[in-house]
Each structure stands twice: as C-alpha cells, then as structure tokens.
Amino acid sequence: MSGLMVLAENVHKSFGRVEVLKGIDLEVRRGEVCCLLGPSGSGKSTFLRCINHLEKVDAGRLSVDGKLVGYRQQGDKLYELKERETAQARSEIGMVFQRFNLFPHMTALGNVVEAPIRVKGESKSAAADRARALLDRVGLADKVDAYPAQLSGGQQQRVAIARALAMQPKLMLFDEPTSALDPELVGDVLDVMRGLAEDGMTMVVVTHEMGFAREVGDTVVFMDGGVVVEQGDPKSVINNPQEERTKAFLGKVL
C-alpha cells in the first residue's frame, strides 16, 4: 500500500437507474501518470469525480494515499465523514476541469491565492509569493493582474492549473483539460502537464490526447460502458491493443 496513491476496489456508481460505474478496479502508484481513455459516457469523468468525493460511490472502496475518501471504516462498515473532514481531504487533491471555473471578478493572482488563504489560512504575502511563482511556472508571469475575460482559453486553463497547485496537492486530477480549447492552444497546457509529470506529480488524466497519453502516461486505462476494458503501459495498449472494443475505439481516434 505504501507505494499506492490511488486504490479503487470494485467501485460502483449509479445515477437513478443508470449504472455508470460497474465495478472499477484500479491502482495508481505514487509519481505515476495514469491516462483514462474511452468514448463519451464510458464513466471516466464520473470515476475521476469519485476519487475526490465530488460524487459518492454506491459500493466498493476508494482510497487516496492509504486513506478512504469521504468515509471512515468501523468494523466492516463504512460511515460517511462530515463535510468539513471530507473538505480537508479534498484540499490535498487538485482538480482541473474542462471548463476553467475561474472567478471572473478576480485577477489571475487573485484566483490562485484565494484557496490557500481561505482554506489553509495562509498569510496573504506567503500565498501571493507562491502564486506568482506558480503563474511563472505555467508561463503567465506577465498576466498576474489580468482578469479571466482578458485571457485566452489556454491561458485560463493554465491559471486553473496554478490554482490547483497552490494548495500543494499530493494528487492532481485532470478532466479533459484541453477539450474546450482551440487546437492551437492545446500545446501550452500539455507542456505544463508534462512539466508536472517530470517533477514527479501523481496524476490521473481523462484525455483524448493520444500523443500525450503515449508520451507521458505510465499507465493507460481504456474504459467503456462503466468498466475497465483494458489497461497497461501506453505502448502496449495504444500500439497493440488486445481487446476488440479497444481496437475499434483507437481505430477511430488515431
């Protein structure tokens, strides 16, 4: 367990009568980049949201860094944690969404310092110093005073990544972070993510960017219909898939 950052065991999730996750088993080791591939509606984003308890699992177990997410175990029963306890655990898991979700009335700097000050109680000066360093890291040192409306989609997404990193997370979740971007803006965001991977950040990435998955991913997981169809290292899954469903999907996207 010591080497695992994410452990999913028979995870199920339904919305009404629709079973979206039908028993997901998955391991992500510390420092790994795990790329989740699959068609729309396969359960990838739902599973990602279950990792940080934005969605509650109906059955199974999900652990991050050896601790259950959103629950405590007593005997053989699970009890949901209070929202404050869950929020504390969630603060250690950074998440970047398809849409950037920036506060429109705050500058790039303001967006990045908000959570460390409010959630962690950091001083404004310390939070601002780290925020400036993070904005520089994502290539936006000259945009600290810009508002979201003054930034391109790619720049807004890089601010969103800096905002997530400002909480000093142990795990980063990316939900199709480039899908809402114009094609020419995708590369800048992927470059930032490559840098994070090189620095050893553990990442779970829902993506359709096959080049990124092949180049940066340590593990590729192909999901369809709420189950894991195939998983392994990128070269074997993407270049030489074994399952017919994987072959059909990759045949359409590559």
Side-chain angles (χ1 to χ4, degrees), residues 43-80:
K44 309 181 302 296
S45 294
T46 296
F47 176 66
L48 204 71
R49 291 169 66 85
C50 286
I51 292 177
N52 66 355
H53 206 61
L54 286 176
E55 299 290 353
K56 302 174 184 178
V57 302
D58 297 323
R61 297 160 59 93
L62 251 173
S63 303
V64 172
D65 202 17
K67 296 179 181 178
L68 288 171
V69 179
Y71 298 91
R72 61 179 172 83
Q73 183 165 352
Q74 192 168 324
D76 58 357
K77 289 188 176 182
L78 296 182
Y79 296 89
E80 190 168 3

PDB file of all heavy atoms in Angstrom, residues 43-80:
ATOM      1  N   GLY A  43     -17.859   6.602 -18.351  1.00  0.00           N
ATOM      2  CA  GLY A  43     -17.692   6.647 -16.901  1.00  0.00           C
ATOM      3  C   GLY A  43     -16.391   7.262 -16.435  1.00  0.00           C
ATOM      4  O   GLY A  43     -16.144   7.340 -15.229  1.00  0.00           O
ATOM      5  N   LYS A  44     -15.570   7.748 -17.354  1.00  0.00           N
ATOM      6  CA  LYS A  44     -14.250   8.266 -16.994  1.00  0.00           C
ATOM      7  C   LYS A  44     -14.345   9.456 -16.042  1.00  0.00           C
ATOM      8  O   LYS A  44     -13.708   9.484 -14.989  1.00  0.00           O
ATOM      9  CB  LYS A  44     -13.459   8.686 -18.245  1.00  0.00           C
ATOM     10  CG  LYS A  44     -13.377   7.651 -19.328  1.00  0.00           C
ATOM     11  CD  LYS A  44     -12.557   8.127 -20.517  1.00  0.00           C
ATOM     12  CE  LYS A  44     -13.069   9.395 -21.148  1.00  0.00           C
ATOM     13  NZ  LYS A  44     -14.422   9.275 -21.756  1.00  0.00           N
ATOM     14  N   SER A  45     -15.141  10.452 -16.430  1.00  0.00           N
ATOM     15  CA  SER A  45     -15.249  11.669 -15.622  1.00  0.00           C
ATOM     16  C   SER A  45     -15.931  11.381 -14.286  1.00  0.00           C
ATOM     17  O   SER A  45     -15.559  11.952 -13.255  1.00  0.00           O
ATOM     18  CB  SER A  45     -16.004  12.759 -16.382  1.00  0.00           C
ATOM     19  OG  SER A  45     -15.262  13.187 -17.505  1.00  0.00           O
ATOM     20  N   THR A  46     -16.923  10.508 -14.301  1.00  0.00           N
ATOM     21  CA  THR A  46     -17.589  10.143 -13.042  1.00  0.00           C
ATOM     22  C   THR A  46     -16.597   9.487 -12.095  1.00  0.00           C
ATOM     23  O   THR A  46     -16.565   9.801 -10.896  1.00  0.00           O
ATOM     24  CB  THR A  46     -18.764   9.188 -13.316  1.00  0.00           C
ATOM     25  OG1 THR A  46     -19.738   9.867 -14.104  1.00  0.00           O
ATOM     26  CG2 THR A  46     -19.409   8.722 -12.020  1.00  0.00           C
ATOM     27  N   PHE A  47     -15.784   8.583 -12.619  1.00  0.00           N
ATOM     28  CA  PHE A  47     -14.786   7.931 -11.769  1.00  0.00           C
ATOM     29  C   PHE A  47     -13.808   8.960 -11.203  1.00  0.00           C
ATOM     30  O   PHE A  47     -13.467   8.917 -10.015  1.00  0.00           O
ATOM     31  CB  PHE A  47     -14.028   6.863 -12.559  1.00  0.00           C
ATOM     32  CG  PHE A  47     -12.924   6.219 -11.774  1.00  0.00           C
ATOM     33  CD1 PHE A  47     -13.214   5.437 -10.663  1.00  0.00           C
ATOM     34  CD2 PHE A  47     -11.594   6.413 -12.107  1.00  0.00           C
ATOM     35  CE1 PHE A  47     -12.198   4.839  -9.915  1.00  0.00           C
ATOM     36  CE2 PHE A  47     -10.580   5.836 -11.371  1.00  0.00           C
ATOM     37  CZ  PHE A  47     -10.883   5.044 -10.268  1.00  0.00           C
ATOM     38  N   LEU A  48     -13.393   9.896 -12.031  1.00  0.00           N
ATOM     39  CA  LEU A  48     -12.473  10.934 -11.569  1.00  0.00           C
ATOM     40  C   LEU A  48     -13.092  11.723 -10.419  1.00  0.00           C
ATOM     41  O   LEU A  48     -12.432  12.001  -9.410  1.00  0.00           O
ATOM     42  CB  LEU A  48     -12.128  11.866 -12.733  1.00  0.00           C
ATOM     43  CG  LEU A  48     -10.809  12.634 -12.628  1.00  0.00           C
ATOM     44  CD1 LEU A  48      -9.644  11.686 -12.791  1.00  0.00           C
ATOM     45  CD2 LEU A  48     -10.742  13.720 -13.700  1.00  0.00           C
ATOM     46  N   ARG A  49     -14.369  12.071 -10.544  1.00  0.00           N
ATOM     47  CA  ARG A  49     -15.048  12.838  -9.510  1.00  0.00           C
ATOM     48  C   ARG A  49     -15.273  12.009  -8.243  1.00  0.00           C
ATOM     49  O   ARG A  49     -15.376  12.566  -7.146  1.00  0.00           O
ATOM     50  CB  ARG A  49     -16.372  13.373 -10.043  1.00  0.00           C
ATOM     51  CG  ARG A  49     -16.196  14.453 -11.110  1.00  0.00           C
ATOM     52  CD  ARG A  49     -17.511  14.781 -11.812  1.00  0.00           C
ATOM     53  NE  ARG A  49     -18.462  15.389 -10.887  1.00  0.00           N
ATOM     54  CZ  ARG A  49     -18.514  16.675 -10.599  1.00  0.00           C
ATOM     55  NH1 ARG A  49     -17.653  17.511 -11.151  1.00  0.00           N
ATOM     56  NH2 ARG A  49     -19.420  17.155  -9.760  1.00  0.00           N
ATOM     57  N   CYS A  50     -15.326  10.704  -8.383  1.00  0.00           N
ATOM     58  CA  CYS A  50     -15.436   9.847  -7.200  1.00  0.00           C
ATOM     59  C   CYS A  50     -14.130   9.836  -6.401  1.00  0.00           C
ATOM     60  O   CYS A  50     -14.152   9.671  -5.170  1.00  0.00           O
ATOM     61  CB  CYS A  50     -15.796   8.416  -7.602  1.00  0.00           C
ATOM     62  SG  CYS A  50     -17.515   8.181  -8.138  1.00  0.00           S
ATOM     63  N   ILE A  51     -13.006  10.019  -7.085  1.00  0.00           N
ATOM     64  CA  ILE A  51     -11.718   9.959  -6.385  1.00  0.00           C
ATOM     65  C   ILE A  51     -11.641  11.024  -5.299  1.00  0.00           C
ATOM     66  O   ILE A  51     -11.104  10.779  -4.216  1.00  0.00           O
ATOM     67  CB  ILE A  51     -10.551  10.105  -7.389  1.00  0.00           C
ATOM     68  CG1 ILE A  51     -10.475   8.863  -8.298  1.00  0.00           C
ATOM     69  CG2 ILE A  51      -9.218  10.282  -6.655  1.00  0.00           C
ATOM     70  CD1 ILE A  51      -9.400   8.949  -9.378  1.00  0.00           C
ATOM     71  N   ASN A  52     -12.180  12.211  -5.566  1.00  0.00           N
ATOM     72  CA  ASN A  52     -12.133  13.252  -4.529  1.00  0.00           C
ATOM     73  C   ASN A  52     -13.496  13.492  -3.889  1.00  0.00           C
ATOM     74  O   ASN A  52     -13.724  14.518  -3.255  1.00  0.00           O
ATOM     75  CB  ASN A  52     -11.540  14.551  -5.073  1.00  0.00           C
ATOM     76  CG  ASN A  52     -12.405  15.206  -6.117  1.00  0.00           C
ATOM     77  OD1 ASN A  52     -13.427  14.661  -6.529  1.00  0.00           O
ATOM     78  ND2 ASN A  52     -12.004  16.372  -6.566  1.00  0.00           N
ATOM     79  N   HIS A  53     -14.399  12.523  -4.059  1.00  0.00           N
ATOM     80  CA  HIS A  53     -15.694  12.525  -3.356  1.00  0.00           C
ATOM     81  C   HIS A  53     -16.595  13.666  -3.799  1.00  0.00           C
ATOM     82  O   HIS A  53     -17.497  14.078  -3.061  1.00  0.00           O
ATOM     83  CB  HIS A  53     -15.492  12.556  -1.830  1.00  0.00           C
ATOM     84  CG  HIS A  53     -16.632  11.957  -1.047  1.00  0.00           C
ATOM     85  ND1 HIS A  53     -17.026  10.641  -1.183  1.00  0.00           N
ATOM     86  CD2 HIS A  53     -17.481  12.488  -0.122  1.00  0.00           C
ATOM     87  CE1 HIS A  53     -18.047  10.402  -0.372  1.00  0.00           C
ATOM     88  NE2 HIS A  53     -18.345  11.503   0.267  1.00  0.00           N
ATOM     89  N   LEU A  54     -16.382  14.192  -5.005  1.00  0.00           N
ATOM     90  CA  LEU A  54     -17.382  15.083  -5.578  1.00  0.00           C
ATOM     91  C   LEU A  54     -18.626  14.282  -5.948  1.00  0.00           C
ATOM     92  O   LEU A  54     -19.725  14.810  -6.014  1.00  0.00           O
ATOM     93  CB  LEU A  54     -16.828  15.799  -6.815  1.00  0.00           C
ATOM     94  CG  LEU A  54     -15.814  16.917  -6.552  1.00  0.00           C
ATOM     95  CD1 LEU A  54     -15.284  17.471  -7.855  1.00  0.00           C
ATOM     96  CD2 LEU A  54     -16.423  18.028  -5.698  1.00  0.00           C
ATOM     97  N   GLU A  55     -18.422  13.002  -6.229  1.00  0.00           N
ATOM     98  CA  GLU A  55     -19.521  12.041  -6.361  1.00  0.00           C
ATOM     99  C   GLU A  55     -19.303  10.940  -5.335  1.00  0.00           C
ATOM    100  O   GLU A  55     -18.177  10.482  -5.147  1.00  0.00           O
ATOM    101  CB  GLU A  55     -19.569  11.427  -7.769  1.00  0.00           C
ATOM    102  CG  GLU A  55     -19.779  12.413  -8.898  1.00  0.00           C
ATOM    103  CD  GLU A  55     -21.171  13.004  -8.924  1.00  0.00           C
ATOM    104  OE1 GLU A  55     -22.029  12.559  -8.139  1.00  0.00           O
ATOM    105  OE2 GLU A  55     -21.396  13.918  -9.743  1.00  0.00           O
ATOM    106  N   LYS A  56     -20.365  10.514  -4.690  1.00  0.00           N
ATOM    107  CA  LYS A  56     -20.281   9.455  -3.682  1.00  0.00           C
ATOM    108  C   LYS A  56     -20.433   8.098  -4.352  1.00  0.00           C
ATOM    109  O   LYS A  56     -21.353   7.902  -5.153  1.00  0.00           O
ATOM    110  CB  LYS A  56     -21.375   9.628  -2.629  1.00  0.00           C
ATOM    111  CG  LYS A  56     -21.337  10.959  -1.905  1.00  0.00           C
ATOM    112  CD  LYS A  56     -22.535  11.111  -0.976  1.00  0.00           C
ATOM    113  CE  LYS A  56     -22.558  12.489  -0.328  1.00  0.00           C
ATOM    114  NZ  LYS A  56     -23.747  12.667   0.552  1.00  0.00           N
ATOM    115  N   VAL A  57     -19.552   7.171  -4.025  1.00  0.00           N
ATOM    116  CA  VAL A  57     -19.667   5.831  -4.594  1.00  0.00           C
ATOM    117  C   VAL A  57     -20.823   5.094  -3.919  1.00  0.00           C
ATOM    118  O   VAL A  57     -21.146   5.344  -2.751  1.00  0.00           O
ATOM    119  CB  VAL A  57     -18.355   5.035  -4.445  1.00  0.00           C
ATOM    120  CG1 VAL A  57     -17.210   5.782  -5.107  1.00  0.00           C
ATOM    121  CG2 VAL A  57     -18.030   4.751  -2.994  1.00  0.00           C
ATOM    122  N   ASP A  58     -21.457   4.205  -4.663  1.00  0.00           N
ATOM    123  CA  ASP A  58     -22.564   3.416  -4.127  1.00  0.00           C
ATOM    124  C   ASP A  58     -22.079   2.106  -3.512  1.00  0.00           C
ATOM    125  O   ASP A  58     -22.735   1.549  -2.632  1.00  0.00           O
ATOM    126  CB  ASP A  58     -23.583   3.110  -5.232  1.00  0.00           C
ATOM    127  CG  ASP A  58     -24.229   4.378  -5.779  1.00  0.00           C
ATOM    128  OD1 ASP A  58     -24.486   5.300  -4.984  1.00  0.00           O
ATOM    129  OD2 ASP A  58     -24.462   4.448  -7.001  1.00  0.00           O
ATOM    130  N   ALA A  59     -20.974   1.606  -4.007  1.00  0.00           N
ATOM    131  CA  ALA A  59     -20.408   0.363  -3.475  1.00  0.00           C
ATOM    132  C   ALA A  59     -18.931   0.327  -3.828  1.00  0.00           C
ATOM    133  O   ALA A  59     -18.477   1.014  -4.745  1.00  0.00           O
ATOM    134  CB  ALA A  59     -21.127  -0.858  -4.050  1.00  0.00           C
ATOM    135  N   GLY A  60     -18.181  -0.484  -3.090  1.00  0.00           N
ATOM    136  CA  GLY A  60     -16.745  -0.564  -3.299  1.00  0.00           C
ATOM    137  C   GLY A  60     -15.996   0.421  -2.407  1.00  0.00           C
ATOM    138  O   GLY A  60     -16.592   1.081  -1.545  1.00  0.00           O
ATOM    139  N   ARG A  61     -14.714   0.535  -2.654  1.00  0.00           N
ATOM    140  CA  ARG A  61     -13.853   1.367  -1.817  1.00  0.00           C
ATOM    141  C   ARG A  61     -12.900   2.160  -2.693  1.00  0.00           C
ATOM    142  O   ARG A  61     -12.388   1.649  -3.689  1.00  0.00           O
ATOM    143  CB  ARG A  61     -13.040   0.501  -0.847  1.00  0.00           C
ATOM    144  CG  ARG A  61     -13.870  -0.280   0.144  1.00  0.00           C
ATOM    145  CD  ARG A  61     -13.082  -1.456   0.724  1.00  0.00           C
ATOM    146  NE  ARG A  61     -11.883  -1.024   1.403  1.00  0.00           N
ATOM    147  CZ  ARG A  61     -11.819  -0.763   2.709  1.00  0.00           C
ATOM    148  NH1 ARG A  61     -12.888  -0.925   3.469  1.00  0.00           N
ATOM    149  NH2 ARG A  61     -10.694  -0.383   3.266  1.00  0.00           N
ATOM    150  N   LEU A  62     -12.653   3.402  -2.275  1.00  0.00           N
ATOM    151  CA  LEU A  62     -11.693   4.263  -2.946  1.00  0.00           C
ATOM    152  C   LEU A  62     -10.778   4.871  -1.897  1.00  0.00           C
ATOM    153  O   LEU A  62     -11.255   5.508  -0.952  1.00  0.00           O
ATOM    154  CB  LEU A  62     -12.420   5.379  -3.699  1.00  0.00           C
ATOM    155  CG  LEU A  62     -12.420   5.312  -5.223  1.00  0.00           C
ATOM    156  CD1 LEU A  62     -13.326   6.381  -5.794  1.00  0.00           C
ATOM    157  CD2 LEU A  62     -11.019   5.465  -5.781  1.00  0.00           C
ATOM    158  N   SER A  63      -9.482   4.666  -2.063  1.00  0.00           N
ATOM    159  CA  SER A  63      -8.505   5.214  -1.125  1.00  0.00           C
ATOM    160  C   SER A  63      -7.522   6.105  -1.866  1.00  0.00           C
ATOM    161  O   SER A  63      -7.157   5.827  -3.008  1.00  0.00           O
ATOM    162  CB  SER A  63      -7.727   4.094  -0.432  1.00  0.00           C
ATOM    163  OG  SER A  63      -8.591   3.199   0.228  1.00  0.00           O
ATOM    164  N   VAL A  64      -7.122   7.184  -1.213  1.00  0.00           N
ATOM    165  CA  VAL A  64      -6.062   8.055  -1.712  1.00  0.00           C
ATOM    166  C   VAL A  64      -4.987   8.144  -0.642  1.00  0.00           C
ATOM    167  O   VAL A  64      -5.276   8.504   0.504  1.00  0.00           O
ATOM    168  CB  VAL A  64      -6.594   9.460  -2.057  1.00  0.00           C
ATOM    169  CG1 VAL A  64      -5.434  10.405  -2.382  1.00  0.00           C
ATOM    170  CG2 VAL A  64      -7.557   9.390  -3.231  1.00  0.00           C
ATOM    171  N   ASP A  65      -3.789   7.765  -1.028  1.00  0.00           N
ATOM    172  CA  ASP A  65      -2.651   7.783  -0.093  1.00  0.00           C
ATOM    173  C   ASP A  65      -2.951   6.970   1.171  1.00  0.00           C
ATOM    174  O   ASP A  65      -2.618   7.376   2.279  1.00  0.00           O
ATOM    175  CB  ASP A  65      -2.276   9.219   0.268  1.00  0.00           C
ATOM    176  CG  ASP A  65      -0.843   9.335   0.778  1.00  0.00           C
ATOM    177  OD1 ASP A  65      -0.048   8.400   0.553  1.00  0.00           O
ATOM    178  OD2 ASP A  65      -0.528  10.351   1.412  1.00  0.00           O
ATOM    179  N   GLY A  66      -3.611   5.840   0.984  1.00  0.00           N
ATOM    180  CA  GLY A  66      -3.872   4.921   2.089  1.00  0.00           C
ATOM    181  C   GLY A  66      -5.077   5.245   2.942  1.00  0.00           C
ATOM    182  O   GLY A  66      -5.377   4.528   3.894  1.00  0.00           O
ATOM    183  N   LYS A  67      -5.801   6.328   2.598  1.00  0.00           N
ATOM    184  CA  LYS A  67      -6.968   6.701   3.393  1.00  0.00           C
ATOM    185  C   LYS A  67      -8.225   6.649   2.530  1.00  0.00           C
ATOM    186  O   LYS A  67      -8.218   7.090   1.380  1.00  0.00           O
ATOM    187  CB  LYS A  67      -6.799   8.122   3.949  1.00  0.00           C
ATOM    188  CG  LYS A  67      -5.636   8.264   4.921  1.00  0.00           C
ATOM    189  CD  LYS A  67      -5.530   9.699   5.415  1.00  0.00           C
ATOM    190  CE  LYS A  67      -4.356   9.870   6.371  1.00  0.00           C
ATOM    191  NZ  LYS A  67      -4.221  11.284   6.821  1.00  0.00           N
ATOM    192  N   LEU A  68      -9.304   6.123   3.106  1.00  0.00           N
ATOM    193  CA  LEU A  68     -10.581   6.119   2.400  1.00  0.00           C
ATOM    194  C   LEU A  68     -11.009   7.547   2.081  1.00  0.00           C
ATOM    195  O   LEU A  68     -10.782   8.456   2.882  1.00  0.00           O
ATOM    196  CB  LEU A  68     -11.661   5.442   3.251  1.00  0.00           C
ATOM    197  CG  LEU A  68     -11.562   3.926   3.401  1.00  0.00           C
ATOM    198  CD1 LEU A  68     -12.557   3.445   4.455  1.00  0.00           C
ATOM    199  CD2 LEU A  68     -11.805   3.224   2.078  1.00  0.00           C
ATOM    200  N   VAL A  69     -11.627   7.725   0.929  1.00  0.00           N
ATOM    201  CA  VAL A  69     -12.073   9.052   0.511  1.00  0.00           C
ATOM    202  C   VAL A  69     -13.522   9.250   0.942  1.00  0.00           C
ATOM    203  O   VAL A  69     -14.419   8.543   0.499  1.00  0.00           O
ATOM    204  CB  VAL A  69     -11.953   9.210  -1.013  1.00  0.00           C
ATOM    205  CG1 VAL A  69     -12.452  10.587  -1.438  1.00  0.00           C
ATOM    206  CG2 VAL A  69     -10.521   9.011  -1.461  1.00  0.00           C
ATOM    207  N   GLY A  70     -13.747  10.201   1.850  1.00  0.00           N
ATOM    208  CA  GLY A  70     -15.101  10.545   2.248  1.00  0.00           C
ATOM    209  C   GLY A  70     -15.735   9.625   3.275  1.00  0.00           C
ATOM    210  O   GLY A  70     -16.884   9.843   3.673  1.00  0.00           O
ATOM    211  N   TYR A  71     -15.000   8.618   3.703  1.00  0.00           N
ATOM    212  CA  TYR A  71     -15.568   7.636   4.636  1.00  0.00           C
ATOM    213  C   TYR A  71     -14.535   7.245   5.684  1.00  0.00           C
ATOM    214  O   TYR A  71     -13.327   7.417   5.505  1.00  0.00           O
ATOM    215  CB  TYR A  71     -16.011   6.364   3.895  1.00  0.00           C
ATOM    216  CG  TYR A  71     -17.093   6.589   2.879  1.00  0.00           C
ATOM    217  CD1 TYR A  71     -16.778   6.884   1.548  1.00  0.00           C
ATOM    218  CD2 TYR A  71     -18.440   6.533   3.227  1.00  0.00           C
ATOM    219  CE1 TYR A  71     -17.775   7.112   0.601  1.00  0.00           C
ATOM    220  CE2 TYR A  71     -19.437   6.749   2.295  1.00  0.00           C
ATOM    221  CZ  TYR A  71     -19.095   7.033   0.983  1.00  0.00           C
ATOM    222  OH  TYR A  71     -20.082   7.259   0.068  1.00  0.00           O
ATOM    223  N   ARG A  72     -15.035   6.705   6.792  1.00  0.00           N
ATOM    224  CA  ARG A  72     -14.171   6.010   7.745  1.00  0.00           C
ATOM    225  C   ARG A  72     -14.743   4.611   7.922  1.00  0.00           C
ATOM    226  O   ARG A  72     -15.940   4.379   7.770  1.00  0.00           O
ATOM    227  CB  ARG A  72     -14.130   6.747   9.090  1.00  0.00           C
ATOM    228  CG  ARG A  72     -15.467   6.857   9.785  1.00  0.00           C
ATOM    229  CD  ARG A  72     -15.358   7.589  11.122  1.00  0.00           C
ATOM    230  NE  ARG A  72     -16.685   7.857  11.691  1.00  0.00           N
ATOM    231  CZ  ARG A  72     -17.373   6.985  12.396  1.00  0.00           C
ATOM    232  NH1 ARG A  72     -16.868   5.780  12.650  1.00  0.00           N
ATOM    233  NH2 ARG A  72     -18.572   7.297  12.870  1.00  0.00           N
ATOM    234  N   GLN A  73     -13.861   3.692   8.228  1.00  0.00           N
ATOM    235  CA  GLN A  73     -14.297   2.314   8.410  1.00  0.00           C
ATOM    236  C   GLN A  73     -14.337   1.967   9.886  1.00  0.00           C
ATOM    237  O   GLN A  73     -13.406   2.267  10.638  1.00  0.00           O
ATOM    238  CB  GLN A  73     -13.363   1.344   7.675  1.00  0.00           C
ATOM    239  CG  GLN A  73     -13.813  -0.105   7.763  1.00  0.00           C
ATOM    240  CD  GLN A  73     -13.110  -1.001   6.761  1.00  0.00           C
ATOM    241  OE1 GLN A  73     -12.387  -0.525   5.897  1.00  0.00           O
ATOM    242  NE2 GLN A  73     -13.327  -2.295   6.867  1.00  0.00           N
ATOM    243  N   GLN A  74     -15.429   1.375  10.292  1.00  0.00           N
ATOM    244  CA  GLN A  74     -15.567   0.898  11.662  1.00  0.00           C
ATOM    245  C   GLN A  74     -16.067  -0.540  11.574  1.00  0.00           C
ATOM    246  O   GLN A  74     -17.188  -0.790  11.131  1.00  0.00           O
ATOM    247  CB  GLN A  74     -16.547   1.765  12.448  1.00  0.00           C
ATOM    248  CG  GLN A  74     -16.518   1.512  13.948  1.00  0.00           C
ATOM    249  CD  GLN A  74     -17.271   2.578  14.710  1.00  0.00           C
ATOM    250  OE1 GLN A  74     -17.255   3.756  14.336  1.00  0.00           O
ATOM    251  NE2 GLN A  74     -17.948   2.181  15.775  1.00  0.00           N
ATOM    252  N   GLY A  75     -15.205  -1.461  11.970  1.00  0.00           N
ATOM    253  CA  GLY A  75     -15.529  -2.864  11.749  1.00  0.00           C
ATOM    254  C   GLY A  75     -15.531  -3.122  10.253  1.00  0.00           C
ATOM    255  O   GLY A  75     -14.583  -2.787   9.553  1.00  0.00           O
ATOM    256  N   ASP A  76     -16.606  -3.693   9.743  1.00  0.00           N
ATOM    257  CA  ASP A  76     -16.699  -3.924   8.305  1.00  0.00           C
ATOM    258  C   ASP A  76     -17.681  -2.972   7.634  1.00  0.00           C
ATOM    259  O   ASP A  76     -18.108  -3.190   6.506  1.00  0.00           O
ATOM    260  CB  ASP A  76     -17.097  -5.379   8.016  1.00  0.00           C
ATOM    261  CG  ASP A  76     -18.428  -5.758   8.675  1.00  0.00           C
ATOM    262  OD1 ASP A  76     -18.997  -4.917   9.388  1.00  0.00           O
ATOM    263  OD2 ASP A  76     -18.865  -6.910   8.473  1.00  0.00           O
ATOM    264  N   LYS A  77     -18.032  -1.877   8.333  1.00  0.00           N
ATOM    265  CA  LYS A  77     -18.960  -0.898   7.787  1.00  0.00           C
ATOM    266  C   LYS A  77     -18.251   0.425   7.494  1.00  0.00           C
ATOM    267  O   LYS A  77     -17.287   0.786   8.177  1.00  0.00           O
ATOM    268  CB  LYS A  77     -20.122  -0.643   8.757  1.00  0.00           C
ATOM    269  CG  LYS A  77     -21.098  -1.812   8.863  1.00  0.00           C
ATOM    270  CD  LYS A  77     -22.318  -1.411   9.681  1.00  0.00           C
ATOM    271  CE  LYS A  77     -23.342  -2.541   9.710  1.00  0.00           C
ATOM    272  NZ  LYS A  77     -24.572  -2.150  10.457  1.00  0.00           N
ATOM    273  N   LEU A  78     -18.764   1.122   6.477  1.00  0.00           N
ATOM    274  CA  LEU A  78     -18.246   2.437   6.126  1.00  0.00           C
ATOM    275  C   LEU A  78     -19.243   3.502   6.556  1.00  0.00           C
ATOM    276  O   LEU A  78     -20.452   3.357   6.369  1.00  0.00           O
ATOM    277  CB  LEU A  78     -18.016   2.545   4.612  1.00  0.00           C
ATOM    278  CG  LEU A  78     -16.973   1.618   3.994  1.00  0.00           C
ATOM    279  CD1 LEU A  78     -16.839   1.896   2.505  1.00  0.00           C
ATOM    280  CD2 LEU A  78     -15.625   1.760   4.679  1.00  0.00           C
ATOM    281  N   TYR A  79     -18.713   4.573   7.146  1.00  0.00           N
ATOM    282  CA  TYR A  79     -19.546   5.691   7.570  1.00  0.00           C
ATOM    283  C   TYR A  79     -19.032   6.948   6.889  1.00  0.00           C
ATOM    284  O   TYR A  79     -17.827   7.226   6.899  1.00  0.00           O
ATOM    285  CB  TYR A  79     -19.489   5.861   9.091  1.00  0.00           C
ATOM    286  CG  TYR A  79     -20.047   4.679   9.844  1.00  0.00           C
ATOM    287  CD1 TYR A  79     -19.231   3.599  10.191  1.00  0.00           C
ATOM    288  CD2 TYR A  79     -21.391   4.622  10.197  1.00  0.00           C
ATOM    289  CE1 TYR A  79     -19.739   2.499  10.866  1.00  0.00           C
ATOM    290  CE2 TYR A  79     -21.917   3.529  10.883  1.00  0.00           C
ATOM    291  CZ  TYR A  79     -21.079   2.472  11.203  1.00  0.00           C
ATOM    292  OH  TYR A  79     -21.600   1.380  11.875  1.00  0.00           O
ATOM    293  N   GLU A  80     -19.975   7.708   6.312  1.00  0.00           N
ATOM    294  CA  GLU A  80     -19.563   8.909   5.599  1.00  0.00           C
ATOM    295  C   GLU A  80     -19.062   9.963   6.575  1.00  0.00           C
ATOM    296  O   GLU A  80     -19.650  10.187   7.634  1.00  0.00           O
ATOM    297  CB  GLU A  80     -20.734   9.464   4.781  1.00  0.00           C
ATOM    298  CG  GLU A  80     -20.292  10.561   3.824  1.00  0.00           C
ATOM    299  CD  GLU A  80     -21.373  10.919   2.810  1.00  0.00           C
ATOM    300  OE1 GLU A  80     -22.478  10.357   2.894  1.00  0.00           O
ATOM    301  OE2 GLU A  80     -21.100  11.773   1.950  1.00  0.00           O
TER     302      GLU A  80
END
